[in-house]
């Protein structure tokens, strides 16, 4: 039988250890991130397929419990602790310098790959892994804005996603009223240009005979649209969006349509930003519409100009060193037109055209992101429509 004094001493020690254990298992961000780092090392060291799948799933599930600080800490661990294996790289470099063969060049290429890329590949094998990785990159993009040092890790994700989501894997689907409700609800949620105000509004966009909606899907994300485009079949090039979205509009017999108007394109997955879909989507839809309707010969976008005000204000501040000629600069600075409203600013159409075509970034590309996208895909600026969107 243990004497009372010794028993009390043991209990006291157990209590202290318990406190210590409780402190060590506290869900602090850094502690959770460290545990994940160990899991990543284990995942990279395992060769068994079944074990790797289970471990990858566990790692992704644990990652999902992290707060923002924990995720940033985890990303820093990946960025600094799972880079290039320098010993392997140095050996491959020495082989290349000694022999300069195609084989040694390929070996050098693979040796220069950071370990983080292989880690992401193994996570992708876990059940449901690809959707979780898209969500993880969405978190990473937020972290990069606060800490640009994480940019190399983001390039790893973008490199891999560019392969996994290339056009060869994508499936084009037309979305109509028979599409499963789960997907239709996501279309309502993801619409980024012209808000869809409930089911009646959606029905008008996907079920009307002179309207079309097409989306790209990935075989691993069956019910998750990646990007979608909305199309109106019309008898001419419209000058305003109101006519297209109006509930009171007269429906057009699609067999008489002469023009396909791409009036909204929405990327659905933030984590796939920078992976090119829109170019392929629009061109694929053009081909599908051409094969369905002989009468359609004109394909046009009706696009917003999101950066105009910001650019004009910056150009005005430059004075004579800016791009705007004096009459345009003075009219824009006044902020109102001949009838007192901003939408009738004198020279506004010329200002917009100058901005869309002549305003360039440091890389020599159009400053406006919408213009950069469409002009880069081979379109031309056809017309500038004043007062084209008078909605709130």
């Amino acid at each position: 039988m243990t004497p009372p004094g010794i028993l009390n001493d043991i209990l006291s020690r157990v209590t202290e250890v318990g406190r210590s254990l409780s402190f060590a298992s506290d869900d602090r961000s850094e502690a959770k991130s460290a545990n994940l780092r160990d899991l990543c090392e284990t995942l990279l060291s395992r060769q068994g397929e079944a074990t790797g799948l289970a471990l990858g799933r566990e790692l992704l599930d644990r990652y999902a419990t992290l707060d923002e600080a924990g995720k940033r800490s985890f990303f820093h661990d990946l960025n600094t602790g799972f880079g290039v294996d320098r010993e392997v790289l140095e050996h491959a470099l020495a082989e290349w310098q000694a022999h300069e063969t195609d084989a040694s060049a390929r070996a050098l290429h693979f040796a220069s790959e950071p370990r983080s890329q292989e880690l992401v590949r193994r996570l992708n094998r876990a059940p449901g892994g690809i959707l979780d990785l898209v969500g993880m990159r969405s978190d990473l993009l937020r972290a990069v804005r606060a800490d640009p040092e994480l940019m190399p890790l983001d390039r790893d994700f973008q490199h891999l996603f560019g392969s996994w989501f290339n056009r060869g894997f994508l499936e084009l689907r037309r979305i109509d009223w028979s599409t499963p409700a789960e997907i239709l609800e996501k279309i309502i949620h993801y619409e980024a240009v012209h808000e869809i105000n409930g089911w009646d509004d959606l029905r008008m966009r996907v079920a009307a005979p002179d309207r079309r909606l097409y989306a790209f899907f990935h075989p691993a994300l069956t019910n998750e649209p990646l990007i979608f485009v909305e199309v109106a079949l019309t008898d001419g090039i419209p000058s305003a969006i109101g006519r297209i979205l109006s509930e009171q509009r007269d429906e057009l017999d699609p067999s008489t349509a002469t023009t396909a108007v791409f009036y909204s394109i929405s990327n659905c997955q933030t984590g796939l930003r920078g992976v090119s879909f829109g170019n392929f989507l629009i061109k694929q839809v053009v081909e599908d519409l051409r094969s369905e309707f002989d009468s359609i010969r004109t394909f046009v976008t009706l696009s917003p100009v999101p950066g105009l005000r910001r650019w004009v204000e910056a150009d005005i501040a430059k004075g004579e060193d800016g791009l705007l000629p004096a009459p345009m600069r003075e009219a824009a600075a006044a902020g109102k037109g001949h009838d007192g409203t901003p939408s009738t600013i004198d020279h506004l159409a010329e200002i917009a055209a100058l901005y869309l075509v002549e305003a360039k970034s440091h890389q020599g590309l159009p400053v406006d992101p919408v213009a950069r996208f469409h002009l880069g895909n081979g379109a031309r600026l056809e017309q500038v429509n004043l007062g084209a969107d008078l909605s709130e």
Side-chain angles (χ1 to χ4, degrees):
M1 186 171 181
T2 307
I6 296 177
L7 179 61
N8 288 337
D9 184 57
I10 292 173
L11 291 175
S12 176
R13 290 172 181 271
V14 169
T15 300
E16 290 302 318
V17 171
R19 287 174 183 159
S20 177
L21 288 174
S22 175
F23 179 76
S25 62
D26 181 24
D27 65 343
R28 295 175 305 170
S29 298
E30 291 183 3
K32 281 192 171 185
S33 177
N35 291 336
L36 278 183
R37 182 173 62 243
D38 293 340
L39 271 180
C40 291
E41 289 287 4
T42 304
L43 179 59
L44 283 175
S45 66
R46 294 285 177 89
Q47 299 298 322
E49 182 71 17
T51 304
L53 295 180
L55 196 59
R57 186 64 262 166
E58 180 184 358
L59 199 157
L60 290 169
D61 289 341
R62 288 196 188 185
Y63 169 83
T65 68
L66 296 176
D67 58 16
E68 288 296 314
K71 289 175 180 178
R72 286 197 301 272
S73 180
F74 174 65
F75 291 143
H76 276 286
D77 287 340
L78 293 186
N79 196 43
T80 58
F82 292 82
V84 176
D85 187 322
R86 292 183 177 275
E87 183 177 344
V88 173
L89 179 60
E90 288 171 0
H91 175 74
L93 180 59
E95 286 292 310
W96 158 251
Q97 291 174 334
H99 305 291
E100 294 189 2
T101 63
D102 286 348
S104 62
R106 286 187 172 91
L108 178 60
H109 167 75
F110 289 113
S112 66
E113 179 182 275
R115 296 168 66 225
S116 54
Q117 288 194 21
E118 179 58 25
L119 176 65
V120 174
R121 288 193 191 98
R122 297 196 182 196
L123 289 174
N124 184 45
R125 298 171 191 165
I130 194 165
L131 183 58
D132 287 332
L133 288 172
V134 171
M136 185 183 290
R137 185 177 179 241
S138 180
D139 298 334
L140 177 57
L141 288 171
R142 287 197 303 274
V144 168
R145 285 198 293 271
D147 190 352
E149 288 185 4
L150 294 173
M151 186 68 72
L153 181 62
D154 181 60
R155 284 196 286 267
D156 289 342
F157 274 84
Q158 190 167 351
H159 168 70
L160 293 172
F161 285 176
S163 298
W164 299 344
F165 291 91
N166 76 58
R167 175 63 187 93
F169 294 119
L170 303 184
E171 175 192 354
L172 180 68
R173 299 186 205 166
R174 180 181 168 190
I175 305 299
D176 56 27
W177 204 237
S178 66
T179 298
E182 177 186 3
I183 296 177
L184 293 177
E185 287 178 343
K186 290 175 180 177
I187 295 296
I188 294 175
H189 173 72
Y190 288 134
E191 165 59 50
V193 184
H194 301 293
E195 182 181 4
I196 299 176
N197 298 305
W199 290 99
D200 289 341
D201 192 5
L202 178 65
R203 185 185 183 95
M204 185 179 68
R205 301 196 197 191
V206 302
D210 57 349
R211 295 292 181 267
R212 296 286 189 275
L213 194 152
Y214 299 88
F216 266 151
F217 289 81
H218 189 278
L221 303 173
T222 308
N223 292 326
E224 278 290 338
L226 305 180
I227 187 173
F228 63 86
V229 64
E230 297 171 67
V231 185
L233 307 182
T234 66
D235 56 2
I237 299 178
S239 59
I241 191 64
R243 171 186 168 191
I244 289 175
L245 299 180
S246 174
E247 296 179 4
Q248 286 76 39
R249 67 179 181 81
D250 294 327
E251 291 183 357
L252 180 72
D253 178 353
S255 66
T256 66
T258 63
T259 305
V261 183
F262 296 75
Y263 65 91
S264 178
I265 186 166
S266 298
N267 286 290
C268 306
Q269 309 297 329
T270 304
L272 293 176
R273 183 180 303 160
V275 181
S276 179
F277 299 126
N279 180 16
F280 297 117
L281 176 61
I282 289 178
K283 291 178 179 177
Q284 182 66 59
V285 171
V286 165
E287 292 306 314
D288 282 18
L289 291 172
R290 274 179 173 161
S291 64
E292 185 178 358
F293 300 105
D294 293 335
S295 60
I296 296 180
R297 289 290 182 267
T298 300
F299 298 87
V300 63
T301 71
L302 188 58
S303 300
V305 190
L308 178 60
R309 178 190 295 273
R310 183 170 58 253
W311 176 81
V312 167
E313 290 172 348
D315 200 79
I316 289 173
K318 296 178 182 177
E320 294 183 359
D321 293 330
L323 189 62
L324 291 171
M328 296 185 192
R329 184 170 66 250
E330 293 165 4
K336 58 185 180 180
H338 52 271
D339 65 355
T341 64
S343 63
T344 59
I345 290 175
D346 295 337
H347 302 292
L348 182 55
E350 293 95 324
I351 291 171
L354 186 72
Y355 164 68
L356 292 170
V357 177
E358 298 296 338
K360 297 290 194 285
S361 67
H362 294 302
Q363 294 78 28
L365 300 173
V367 168
D368 188 80
V370 176
R372 187 163 59 247
F373 173 74
H374 289 302
L375 295 175
N377 289 339
R380 68 172 182 266
L381 179 60
E382 179 71 13
Q383 61 191 41
V384 174
N385 305 302
L386 299 182
D389 186 357
L390 302 179
S391 66
E392 291 185 5

